[in-house]
Amino acid sequence: MQVFGLVGNPVSHSLSPPMHEAAYEEVGLDARYVTFEPSRDELAAALRGADALGVAGLNVTAPFKQDVRSLVSMDDLAARIGAVNTVDFSGDEPTGHNTDAAGVRRAFTHHDVALDGQSAVVVGAGGAGRSAAFALGEECNHLCVANRTVARAEELADDVGRQTDATTSSCSLDDLPDALADADVLVNATSVGMGEDRSPVPSDALHPELAVLDAVYEPLETRLLQDARAAGATTIDGAWMLLYQGVEAFEVWFDDSAPVTVMNRALRARL
Ligand code: NAP
C-alpha cells in the first residue's frame, strides 16, 4: 500500500483526504491519504521520517509552505513562487512542487476563461496571492497586485515582472476600482470573506467583463462572488482552485491524469 498525506497545522478539518482517497478508489490504487500535524520545530524530522518510512508523497499547507523550501529540492516554479505545497519522494531526493498556481490556472480553464493576453488583478500577497500572481503573470499581458500592506504588493509585482513576460503594477485596496476598470480577470487571494460576510473588493468596482475567482471556499458563495454575480461577472468558487491543486498533485505523484469528476464530487459532498 502507498501512503500519501498532508502536513500542516491545523489539518484536522482538511478536505484533501476524502478528495484524494476518492481518486485512489476510482482508479483502483492501493493507497491511503492521511494528515500529519507536526510543530514547526518537528517539521524537518517529520519530512525525513516520512521519506525513511516510504511515504510516497505529501501535500503541505499553512503554515509550512515556505518552511519546506529548505528541506527539499524545488522545481523551477516552486522556487520562483517561493512556496512548496507538494512533495514527491519517488526520486533520489524529495522534490518540492507548487500546484496552487496550476489550481488557479486550471480553475479558469475549466470555466472556459482564456487568460492569454488578458489584464488581471490579484488581491492579496500572501502564499495564495504569490501562487495566483505567478499563474496569471505567465499567461496574461498585465498583472496588478493589490494588498492591504502595499509594500508586499510591490514586492510581488516586481518578482512577477522580473520572471514573466507580463507587465506588472501594484496598488492599495483603496485603488482597486481604478485597477479593475479595464481588467478581465480578478482573483481574491486574501483571507477576507473566510467565515464572514465581507468582501475585499467594493461591489461597484465589479463589472460584466470580469471573471472572478475567490480562493476562499468557506463559504463557497462568498460576498465577493455574490456581488460579482449581481454585476454580471463570471464567478468561480474557491473549491475549483482546491480541486485543481489536488488534481495536479495527483498527476505529479502518479504521472497520470487524475479522475477530476470523482475528486470534484467528493470535495463538494464535504463542503
Ligand atoms: P496568508 O499567506 O496569511 O495571506 C493572507 C493575505 O490576506 C495577505 O495578503 C493579507 O494582507 C490579507 N489579509 C488578511 N486579513 C486582511 C484584512 N482584514 N483586510 C485585507 N487583507 C487582509 O494566507 P494564504 O495562505 O495566502 O491564504 C489566503 C486565503 O486563500 C485563505 O482564505 C485560504 O484559505 C485561501 N486559500 C485557498 C486555496 C484554495 O485551493 N482554494 C489555497 C490556498 C489558500 P497583508 O499582507 O496586508 O497581511
Side-chain angles (χ1 to χ4, degrees), residues 124-128 147-149 152 189-192 194 215-217 238 241-242:
N147 196 43
R148 177 178 62 178
T149 308
R152 291 184 85 190
T190 72
S191 44
V192 178
M194 176 105 154
V216 172
Y217 53 84
M241 177 179 169
L242 188 62

Side-chain angles (χ1 to χ4, degrees), residues 98-114:
N98 183 304
T99 70
D100 285 333
V104 170
R105 185 173 42 76
R106 292 177 70 167
F108 280 111
T109 305
H110 181 102
H111 289 82
D112 295 326
V113 175

Side-chain angles (χ1 to χ4, degrees), residues 63-122:
F64 299 137
K65 289 183 186 180
Q66 290 180 311
D67 303 69
V68 164
R69 289 179 301 176
S70 60
L71 306 173
V72 298
S73 157
M74 284 186 287
D75 74 2
D76 179 56
L77 181 64
R80 283 191 288 149
I81 294 171
V84 168
N85 80 325
T86 301
V87 178
D88 180 13
F89 291 105
S90 65
D92 292 340
E93 54 181 349
T95 52
H97 305 260
N98 183 304
T99 70
D100 285 333
V104 170
R105 185 173 42 76
R106 292 177 70 167
F108 280 111
T109 305
H110 181 102
H111 289 82
D112 295 326
V113 175
L115 298 173
D116 187 31
Q118 302 290 65
S119 178
V121 175
V122 170

Side-chain angles (χ1 to χ4, degrees), residues 61-62 65-66 100 103 123-131 146-150 152-153 173 188-194 196 198 200 213-218 237-245:
T61 190
K65 289 183 186 180
Q66 290 180 311
D100 285 333
V123 191
R130 289 194 68 85
S131 299
N147 196 43
R148 177 178 62 178
T149 308
V150 179
R152 291 184 85 190
L173 298 183
N188 172 39
T190 72
S191 44
V192 178
M194 176 105 154
E196 58 178 7
R198 273 202 318 141
L213 165 63
D214 199 337
V216 172
Y217 53 84
E218 281 175 356
D237 67 55
W240 291 107
M241 177 179 169
L242 188 62
L243 169 69
Y244 279 109
Q245 63 75 32

